[in-house]
């Protein structure tokens, strides 16, 4: 009898333990798929990727359990082949962010999350707690050296943690096939405007005094991040980083801080071109208002910039002295060949005359400086040298911009809160492949540059309202017009202590920049095949093939052909 009771208790104990044992899903998901927090089905696939030498291989996995997971940890056995190891690996957990203001003009393929949360930041932390039933995306990035031997490298990814108080582990193989092409420096001009007045976000939200030791340390963090993601232009304002003194109408200029910033960004590999920040803006702040130029106002120990009309004698007096001094400084530092200058952002037909007047004036003093501008008007022939229309304006007036290129100008494009609809952009609610295809658009239409205004606009300023916590709500609003800044428009990176976390969109953008280089190589070797491949991927500005499986096949085909 006693034996039966003990046996029965043992069986009950076994069933109890069995009920407590967690059911943990661990599945590979293509890194171009966004794993929404409501996702429940993951068809496991082989974790494999094809790369050129010099780029990055990305992997994504989903972990989900029928219990809360505590201390989820990821361990990677570096991919290896014949004694060569790909050891430069970053691993992180993809976080979810709210999009509190949805895109008012959504595309047909917009991603819809019932909770309003979407995957975006890649959090570089050792462990993560995961709520019951919620999928946790894991992101791995493997940097491929330019001298890596070709062939297939094999490694492993292991997860571990506790669920229902029971420890678990699981392991999956990963493989990377490295092909012959080499991607070193990239030729596509890319500028994401960054904001050094937000460095407090990298400093435990404590103020950072301009040009302090902390400032220079965190400015370098910014530069390193931009370079890592293949940005090769830096927007730095000579006006904002120059010290001014004035006596009886005679100005003196100390470019020390400006020069130190430029050299810092050059050291980190960002500056292929130096992009001088805007000299002017709209005088009255209205969209159709005339442009003026910013002039320093010195009051006791305070200096600030005030926008004044070009006709104001103080404006002319200042710029008559500042422009030659700035150019002497640029030349003396050996930067003249790669220096381009903004005048004022987004001129339109209504205020183009005031822009033309300023451009004529600046070119009369600095005739050899290239003017670059994000523009909403085509009435600037001879007044700017690098045209950067919004993508939809490029689409609508493509023949005009091609003509400007034939005449020796450059024509790029930019995206921001617009265009919406079916256009490719960087919005959180869009399929991730559309962010990558931005730079297939560059290749298809022979457009050598891309601009975006928001790398890290993490706090409200200048009429733009955001939550102030980029992890809580990724959307924004322009208060004066009510224009929604769709999720992700204001930033494509996230702040942490002494570092910047990328988003999965920033990773996709870097991959797209590499695709641009591969497409150039492919077009040189197989022009008709390249034209066909791009043509059935980007049909036009508002029509794309976003099938991820077919995209992977096209890219492998290109790598195979370039390896012959």
């Amino acid at each position: 009898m006693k034996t039966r009771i003990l046996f029965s208790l043992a069986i009950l104990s076994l069933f109890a333990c069995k009920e407590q044992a967690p059911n943990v899903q661990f599945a590979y998901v293509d890194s171009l798929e966004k794993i929404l927090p409501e996702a429940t089905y993951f068809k496991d696939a082989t974790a494999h990727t094809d790369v050129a030498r010099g780029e990055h291989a990305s992997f994504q996995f989903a972990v989900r359990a029928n219990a809360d997971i505590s201390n989820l940890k990821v361990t990677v056995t570096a991919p290896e082949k014949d004694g060569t190891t790909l050891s430069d690996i970053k691993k992180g957990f993809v976080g979810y962010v709210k999009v509190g203001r949805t895109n008012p003009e959504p595309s047909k393929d917009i991603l819809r999350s019932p909770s309003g949360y979407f995957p975006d930041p890649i959090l570089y932390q050792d462990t993560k707690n995961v709520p019951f039933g919620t999928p946790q995306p894991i992101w791995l990035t493997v940097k491929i050296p330019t001298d890596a031997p070709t062939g297939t490298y094999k490694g492993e990814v292991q997860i571990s943690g506790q669920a229902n108080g029971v420890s678990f582990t699981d392991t999956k193989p990963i493989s990377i096939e490295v092909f012959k092409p080499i991607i070193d420096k990239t030729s596509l001009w890319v500028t994401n405007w960054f904001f050094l007045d937000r460095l407090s976000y990298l400093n435990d939200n404590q103020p950072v005094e301009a040009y302090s030791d902390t400032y220079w340390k965190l400015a370098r963090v910014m530069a390193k991040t931009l370079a890592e993601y293949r940005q090769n232009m830096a927007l730095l304002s000579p006006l904002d980083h120059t010290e001014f003194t004035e006596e009886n109408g005679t100005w003196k200029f100390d470019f020390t801080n400006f020069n130190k910033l430029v050299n810092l960004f050059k050291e980190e590999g960002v500056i292929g071109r130096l992009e001088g920040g805007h000299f002017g803006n709209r005088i009255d702040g209205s969209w159709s208002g005339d442009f003026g130029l910013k002039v320093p106002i010195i009051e006791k120990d305070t200096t600030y910039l005030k926008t004044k009309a070009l006709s104001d004698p103080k404006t002319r007096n200042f710029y008559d002295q500042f422009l030659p001094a700035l150019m002497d400084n640029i030349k003396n530092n050996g930067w003249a060949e790669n220096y381009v200058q903004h005048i004022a952002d987004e001129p339109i037909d209504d205020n183009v005359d005031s822009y033309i007047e300023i451009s004529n004036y600046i070119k009369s003093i600095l005739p050899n400086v290239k003017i670059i501008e994000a523009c909403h008007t085509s009435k600037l022939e001879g007044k700017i040298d690098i045209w950067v229309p919004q993508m939809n304006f490029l689409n609508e007036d493509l023949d005009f911009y091609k003509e400007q290129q034939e005449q020796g100008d450059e024509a790029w494009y930019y995206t921001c809160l617009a265009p919406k609809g079916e256009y490719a952009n960087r919005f959180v609610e869009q399929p991730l492949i559309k962010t990558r295809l931005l730079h297939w658009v560059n290749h298809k239409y022979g457009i050598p540059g891309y601009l975006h205004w928001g790398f890290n606009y993490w706090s409200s300023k200048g009429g733009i309202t955001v939550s102030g916590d980029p992890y809580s709500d990724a959307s924004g609003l322009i208060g004066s017009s009510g224009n929604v800044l769709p999720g992700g428009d204001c930033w494509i990176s996230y702040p942490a202590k002494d570092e910047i976390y990328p988003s999965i969109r920033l990773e996709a953008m870097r991959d797209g920049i590499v695709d641009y280089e591969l497409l150039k190589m492919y077009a040189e070797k197989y022009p008709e095949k390249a034209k066909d491949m791009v043509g059935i991927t980007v049909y036009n500005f508002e029509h794309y093939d976003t099938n991820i499986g077919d995209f992977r096949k096209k890219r492998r085909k290109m790598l195979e052909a370039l390896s012959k």
Side-chain angles (χ1 to χ4, degrees):
M1 183 69 178
K2 186 176 181 181
T3 303
R4 284 186 193 168
I5 292 171
L6 290 173
F7 179 75
S8 298
L9 289 172
I11 293 295
L12 288 171
S13 176
L14 180 64
F15 277 118
C17 289
K18 201 168 184 180
E19 288 175 1
Q20 290 179 0
N23 178 12
V24 180
Q25 289 178 284
F26 180 34
Y28 170 72
V29 180
D30 193 289
S31 60
L32 282 172
E33 294 277 2
K34 290 187 177 180
I35 301 173
L36 298 180
E38 295 81 13
T40 59
Y41 175 70
F42 304 103
K43 183 180 180 181
D44 202 6
T46 302
H48 174 84
T49 189
D50 302 316
V51 294
R53 293 183 287 176
E55 67 165 321
H56 294 75
S58 296
F59 294 93
Q60 182 177 223
F61 295 88
V63 178
R64 183 175 179 272
N66 61 345
D68 289 345
I69 299 175
S70 58
N71 299 315
L72 178 64
K73 185 177 181 180
V74 182
T75 305
V76 181
T77 302
E80 183 268 344
K81 173 190 171 292
D82 298 335
T84 301
T85 302
L86 304 176
S87 57
D88 191 343
I89 301 171
K90 287 189 174 183
K91 55 186 180 180
F93 300 100
V94 180
Y96 291 107
V97 293
K98 183 85 171 178
V99 175
R101 300 177 181 89
T102 59
N103 189 339
E105 300 172 35
S107 60
K108 294 174 183 175
D109 58 2
I110 190 173
L111 302 177
R112 300 191 183 276
S113 166
S115 65
Y117 282 83
F118 295 82
D120 202 41
I122 302 175
L123 313 172
Y124 295 136
Q125 56 193 61
D126 293 334
T127 62
K128 185 84 161 55
N129 295 331
V130 184
F132 171 94
T134 302
Q136 176 57 61
I138 293 169
W139 196 275
L140 305 179
T141 304
V142 183
K143 186 175 182 179
I144 313 300
T146 54
D147 60 353
T150 59
T152 300
Y153 294 72
K154 295 182 179 181
E156 287 185 341
V157 177
Q158 182 187 79
I159 59 167
S160 60
Q162 298 84 40
N164 276 346
V166 178
S167 296
F168 66 86
T169 62
D170 200 351
T171 303
K172 288 198 175 293
I174 60 172
S175 61
I176 302 171
E177 185 165 0
V178 177
F179 286 83
K180 185 178 178 181
I182 296 173
I183 304 296
D184 194 2
K185 288 187 177 180
T186 45
S187 61
L188 181 67
W189 293 116
V190 178
T191 178
N192 282 290
W193 292 352
F194 54 90
F195 302 90
L196 296 176
D197 58 355
R198 270 75 170 175
L199 293 180
S200 60
Y201 280 83
L202 310 181
N203 192 44
D204 284 334
N205 292 316
Q206 297 302 307
V208 176
E209 183 182 351
Y211 317 122
S212 63
D213 289 346
T214 301
Y215 178 92
W216 293 116
K217 180 184 76 172
L218 297 178
R220 192 171 292 278
V221 169
M222 178 69 70
K224 281 181 180 290
T225 306
L226 292 166
E228 183 178 354
Y229 285 89
R230 296 189 176 275
Q231 177 158 331
N232 52 13
M233 295 187 66
L235 177 73
L236 294 168
S237 171
L239 284 174
D240 290 344
H241 299 292
T242 297
E243 291 187 14
F244 307 102
T245 55
E246 184 264 344
E247 185 175 352
N248 298 324
T250 299
W251 288 90
K252 292 183 179 180
F253 313 100
D254 184 348
F255 295 107
T256 301
N257 291 321
F258 175 71
N259 292 347
K260 188 172 180 178
L261 268 176
V262 174
N263 283 319
L264 185 155
F265 278 80
K266 283 181 67 68
E267 289 164 11
E268 295 303 330
V270 180
I271 295 179
R273 268 176 164 171
L274 173 57
E275 194 180 355
H278 303 79
F279 287 151
N281 52 31
R282 291 161 169 82
I283 297 172
D284 64 5
S286 68
W287 179 242
S288 59
D290 284 345
F291 290 106
L293 292 172
K294 292 179 279 189
V295 178
I297 305 297
I298 302 173
E299 294 180 350
K300 296 182 180 179
D301 296 329
T302 302
T303 301
Y304 62 93
L305 297 171
K306 184 175 182 180
T307 304
K308 293 178 173 290
L310 180 60
S311 58
D312 190 311
K314 291 184 178 179
T315 305
R316 292 269 183 166
N317 179 58
F318 172 76
Y319 279 92
D320 283 349
Q321 298 173 65
F322 175 67
L323 292 175
L326 172 63
M327 188 45 55
D328 285 344
N329 178 68
I330 296 292
K331 288 178 178 177
N332 291 339
N333 281 283
W335 304 332
E337 185 179 347
N338 298 316
Y339 187 77
V340 298
Q341 180 64 55
H342 288 275
I343 294 177
D345 198 31
E346 297 180 322
I348 62 175
D349 285 350
D350 287 351
N351 54 27
V352 71
D353 289 343
S354 62
Y355 187 100
I356 289 171
E357 184 183 14
I358 294 171
S359 177
N360 287 339
Y361 167 67
I362 291 175
K363 283 180 172 287
S364 72
I365 299 174
L366 305 178
N368 297 320
V369 170
K370 288 187 175 182
I371 302 300
I372 179 174
E373 211 70 84
C375 50
H376 285 215
T377 178
S378 58
K379 298 178 180 179
L380 288 167
E381 288 188 72
K383 310 306 174 186
I384 62 177
D385 306 283
I386 303 174
W387 300 77
V388 192
Q390 205 166 266
M391 188 200 272
N392 53 312
F393 299 143
L394 176 65
N395 179 21
E396 293 162 7
D397 214 355
L398 186 61
D399 289 343
F400 169 81
Y401 292 107
K402 285 296 182 183
E403 183 180 334
Q404 302 313 302
Q405 288 181 319
E406 290 170 3
Q407 294 174 4
D409 287 350
E410 293 179 43
W412 301 7
Y413 77 87
Y414 79 100
T415 62
C416 54
L417 70 147
K420 301 182 181 74
E422 304 308 317
Y423 284 93
N425 210 312
R426 301 189 337 187
F427 304 144
V428 169
E429 297 167 273
Q430 276 189 328
L432 192 56
I433 191 171
K434 275 193 167 177
T435 297
R436 186 161 181 169
L437 291 178
L438 283 170
H439 306 308
W440 287 61
V441 171
N442 282 106
H443 184 272
K444 179 180 176 75
Y445 294 105
I447 302 300
Y450 172 80
L451 180 153
H452 196 284
W453 76 277
F455 185 76
N456 67 311
Y457 204 90
W458 295 322
S459 62
S460 300
K461 193 175 182 181
I464 294 177
T465 300
V466 295
S467 69
D469 176 5
Y471 291 96
S472 69
D473 190 338
S475 67
L477 184 72
I478 301 177
S480 60
S481 62
N483 281 333
V484 169
L485 298 164
D489 187 44
C490 296
W491 55 83
I492 198 169
S493 66
Y494 289 81
K497 174 62 175 172
D498 293 333
E499 65 178 317
I500 296 173
Y501 291 155
S503 65
I504 59 176
R505 293 175 295 127
L506 187 56
E507 294 262 322
M509 186 176 169
R510 177 172 61 188
D511 291 341
I513 294 168
V514 169
D515 290 344
Y516 177 87
E517 299 303 321
L518 289 173
L519 288 166
K520 282 180 64 177
M521 295 178 192
Y522 194 44
E524 288 173 8
K525 196 170 183 179
Y526 307 102
E528 290 304 316
K529 290 181 179 180
K531 184 178 180 181
D532 289 345
M533 179 180 288
V534 175
I536 61 172
T537 305
V538 177
Y539 291 97
N540 57 52
F541 284 96
E542 298 180 82
H543 187 191
Y544 314 86
D545 179 6
T546 57
N547 182 285
I548 295 170
D550 280 353
F551 177 83
R552 297 296 186 195
K553 290 175 184 176
K554 292 171 190 172
R555 198 172 187 277
R556 181 179 176 90
K557 182 178 179 181
M558 183 162 53
L559 288 167
E560 288 175 336
L562 291 171
S563 296
K564 294 178 181 178

